[in-house]
Amino acid sequence: MLTRFAILVFLFGMGFIPVSFAAVSLSVNPVDGSNSLRFGNTSIAGMEKSQEIHIRMTSTNGRYQVFQSVLEPMTDEKGEVLNLQAIKTQTLPNSNNFGTLYLQNSDHLSMGNQLLYSSGQGGQSDSFFIAYSLNPSLMSAGSNYRGRLTFRIEGLSDGSSDEVTIDVFLGASSSGFKFLVEGAHNLTSIHVHGSDITENKADFVKVSFSGNSGQEIRIYQEVETMPQNESDQELGADVLQLDAEGDTEGLRIQGLSSLKTNKTLIYSSNKMADNFVIYFLVDTDQLQEQQAGTYSGRIKYSVESDQGTHEFPIQLYCDVPPIFSLNITTPPGGVKFPHVLSINPPQDQEVVVTVLSNLHKPYQVLQNLQSNMTNNQGKEFNNKYFTLQVQIPTGQRGQTNFVDFSPVQTGEYPVFSSNTSGNGATFKVLYRLQGYAGMNPGDFSTQLGFSLNQK
């Protein structure tokens, strides 16, 4: 299991600088965009913190692989070497676009090569995130450790390579204050599914602290990157709903609330210890308006106290399932025209058609009349007097060829076409039946159906 940590990491060397004709190259950057990763001293009593590195690969000549290894072990001022079991590492699932990510289950650092990534057959350029965490109990209080990590990319077809070396600094303090922010199923990420509408199914963030000396603890939540899909479309602001729960009076958000992009105070108190969880749910009505796909972004939890500010980034994923469905609402008892006489006025019956779609592709609603209406003796009703009209509400996107009443024809044909974006729609199909002179007596019936097809 990957645990959080606090380390000091500085980027001193970049390995060799690849010349312009290199087939593969590598860049390694902390998530905050700076040229170093900085962490406050880690409490041996259990203060845990996770940090991430963004690795980018460029390739111009086929497949490649990326490795990680410990170049120099973590050693303190006394020459004591830190047990590598103390530092665990994990690539973040779905943070790449192509190829295959390895080390998705956390493992400790190793002096040997650890395979992180293998490109696809096309050798496309790509990137991914990798996280690190520390078990503070394996560190000596008051010690400062230093070591070096190496990242290496190797071209599989031409032997080209690139390498980046990072200096690592770990500091340990004896403070008893401990704070923890982590995902329930993955320490550094939350994954929301379209079916997560109740707390018993939803993913959540666990927040806890202990060893506080009575100082005020303030916890903020902020969206660093709003979740986006592969087309860079953002997830709607009201799709994700948060529900904070815990047996504590420190919570500053109550009940369901939409995910806010600004920095929001979610907790404050002076308690010695406390804990709560934040569930991530979906609003199904809002979800249906989103284009299908996986949306990814980042949120950040900031813990502010007299000891400073600690930040806990969490990768956020939301799966929007494809929706393409048709719902037909008929009058009670179905479409019926009782007591049809030539001397009576025409009768109208209304059918409501609803289409739900988040595929963003145009579609058509087709009507299928298998045969003309007939009575028990097989006599047909003249379809000239059986007509339909499609009524599209004002402002509703889509079009129809049945603006006026037209005879209902046999066969299958479109009665409604969506706009080019394939937005969902609700419209009415009005059926009108008029008696006529010379019509055969009896009860007439037929089968009328609807289907939904993409263009």
Side-chain angles (χ1 to χ4, degrees):
M1 178 178 292
L2 182 64
T3 56
R4 297 185 179 278
F5 76 120
I7 63 174
L8 297 175
V9 182
F10 295 93
L11 287 165
F12 282 117
M14 294 297 293
F16 70 85
I17 300 175
V19 294
S20 59
F21 54 84
V24 292
S25 62
L26 188 70
S27 68
V28 179
N29 298 290
V31 295
D32 61 4
S34 67
N35 61 357
S36 65
L37 292 176
R38 297 180 177 272
F39 304 83
N41 281 343
T42 301
S43 167
I44 62 172
M47 171 70 83
E48 298 178 353
K49 190 175 182 182
S50 174
Q51 287 292 341
E52 301 170 10
I53 288 176
H54 192 193
I55 298 178
R56 297 180 177 87
M57 302 82 70
T58 302
S59 172
T60 60
N61 191 22
R63 296 185 59 204
Y64 58 89
Q65 293 181 322
V66 179
F67 300 88
Q68 167 186 265
S69 64
V70 175
L71 181 63
E72 295 178 6
M74 313 303 159
T75 308
D76 67 7
E77 301 91 332
K78 302 175 184 178
E80 295 182 358
V81 176
L82 181 67
N83 186 342
L84 287 181
Q85 296 283 342
I87 305 176
K88 291 197 173 183
T89 181
Q90 175 185 12
T91 58
L92 299 189
N94 301 315
S95 62
N96 60 312
N97 293 315
F98 311 101
T100 303
L101 271 182
Y102 296 87
L103 205 67
Q104 295 192 48
N105 295 321
S106 64
D107 196 1
H108 58 80
L109 284 176
S110 172
M111 298 295 293
N113 284 333
Q114 292 176 301
L115 178 62
L116 304 180
Y117 175 92
S118 182
S119 73
Q121 293 295 328
Q124 301 96 329
S125 299
D126 204 355
S127 68
F128 64 91
F129 287 91
I130 184 169
Y132 302 87
S133 63
L134 180 69
N135 182 353
S137 64
L138 297 179
M139 298 177 65
S140 299
S143 295
N144 293 298
Y145 298 85
R146 175 175 178 171
R148 304 182 80 189
L149 289 179
T150 293
F151 299 89
R152 183 175 180 83
I153 183 172
E154 296 181 356
L156 300 181
S157 59
D158 58 3
S160 60
S161 65
D162 190 13
E163 188 173 277
V164 175
T165 299
I166 293 181
D167 288 352
V168 180
F169 293 87
L170 311 175
S173 68
S174 58
S175 170
F177 182 60
K178 175 184 177 181
F179 204 99
L180 181 66
V181 178
E182 63 182 15
H185 304 111
N186 187 296
L187 296 182
T188 59
S189 68
I190 293 293
H191 207 136
V192 186
H193 302 277
S195 58
D196 293 346
I197 58 176
T198 59
E199 285 79 358
N200 64 341
K201 297 183 63 176
D203 205 353
F204 57 92
V205 169
K206 300 182 293 185
V207 183
S208 63
F209 67 87
S210 61
N212 184 29
S213 59
Q215 60 182 306
E216 184 184 14
I217 302 294
R218 299 174 303 280
I219 305 174
Y220 295 88
Q221 177 182 272
E222 182 179 4
V223 176
E224 289 191 310
T225 305
M226 197 64 183
Q228 297 178 337
N229 63 8
E230 297 82 355
S231 303
D232 295 330
Q233 292 180 325
E234 285 192 355
L235 195 69
D238 296 325
V239 172
L240 293 182
Q241 303 287 308
L242 306 185
D243 186 14
E245 293 188 3
D247 187 16
T248 174
E249 67 277 7
L251 284 173
R252 297 295 174 258
I253 53 176
Q254 302 292 333
L256 284 175
S257 60
S258 298
L259 178 65
K260 297 180 175 60
T261 57
N262 58 317
K263 186 176 181 180
T264 304
L265 179 67
I266 60 174
Y267 176 95
S268 66
S269 81
N270 297 87
K271 298 184 68 173
M272 297 288 293
D274 211 346
N275 65 87
F276 60 93
V277 298
I278 302 175
Y279 292 98
F280 286 73
L281 310 172
V282 296
D283 183 317
T284 53
D285 291 336
Q286 296 292 330
L287 193 72
Q288 293 173 358
E289 300 297 323
Q290 296 294 140
Q291 183 175 352
T294 297
Y295 293 72
S296 62
R298 290 172 65 83
I299 58 177
K300 178 177 68 178
Y301 291 93
S302 303
V303 183
E304 298 182 2
S305 67
D306 292 344
Q307 295 188 16
T309 299
H310 300 279
E311 296 181 347
F312 298 83
I314 296 289
Q315 198 76 16
L316 178 59
Y317 302 99
C318 181
D319 290 335
V320 178
I323 300 172
F324 193 55
S325 64
L326 177 69
N327 182 61
I328 305 296
T329 303
T330 62
V335 178
K336 295 183 178 179
F337 302 92
H339 309 298
V340 177
L341 298 173
S342 60
I343 60 175
N344 289 346
Q347 299 182 39
D348 291 343
Q349 290 285 297
E350 181 181 280
V351 171
V352 178
V353 180
T354 301
V355 178
L356 299 177
S357 177
N358 63 357
L359 303 182
H360 283 211
K361 296 180 179 179
Y363 61 85
Q364 289 182 324
V365 176
L366 307 179
Q367 176 181 273
N368 184 11
L369 180 65
Q370 295 184 358
S371 63
N372 291 330
M373 289 190 291
T374 58
N375 62 10
N376 294 335
Q377 288 75 42
K379 302 296 185 179
E380 290 189 352
F381 189 91
N382 190 339
N383 273 14
K384 177 181 177 181
Y385 300 96
F386 180 39
T387 59
L388 70 86
Q389 180 190 50
V390 176
Q391 298 178 348
I392 302 175
T394 302
Q396 179 77 66
R397 289 164 287 191
Q399 60 185 7
T400 181
N401 292 328
F402 297 92
V403 177
D404 300 316
F405 278 101
S406 303
V408 178
Q409 303 294 327
T410 57
E412 188 176 54
Y413 48 89
V415 295
F416 176 86
S417 297
S418 73
N419 62 346
T420 56
S421 298
N423 297 96
T426 297
F427 58 92
K428 297 178 181 179
V429 181
L430 198 64
Y431 294 97
R432 175 171 292 176
L433 192 139
Q434 171 69 63
Y436 57 93
M439 68 179 182
N440 294 299
D443 295 328
F444 292 80
S445 64
T446 188
Q447 291 187 356
L448 185 67
F450 292 89
S451 60
L452 179 62
N453 292 340
Q454 285 188 359
K455 287 185 178 179

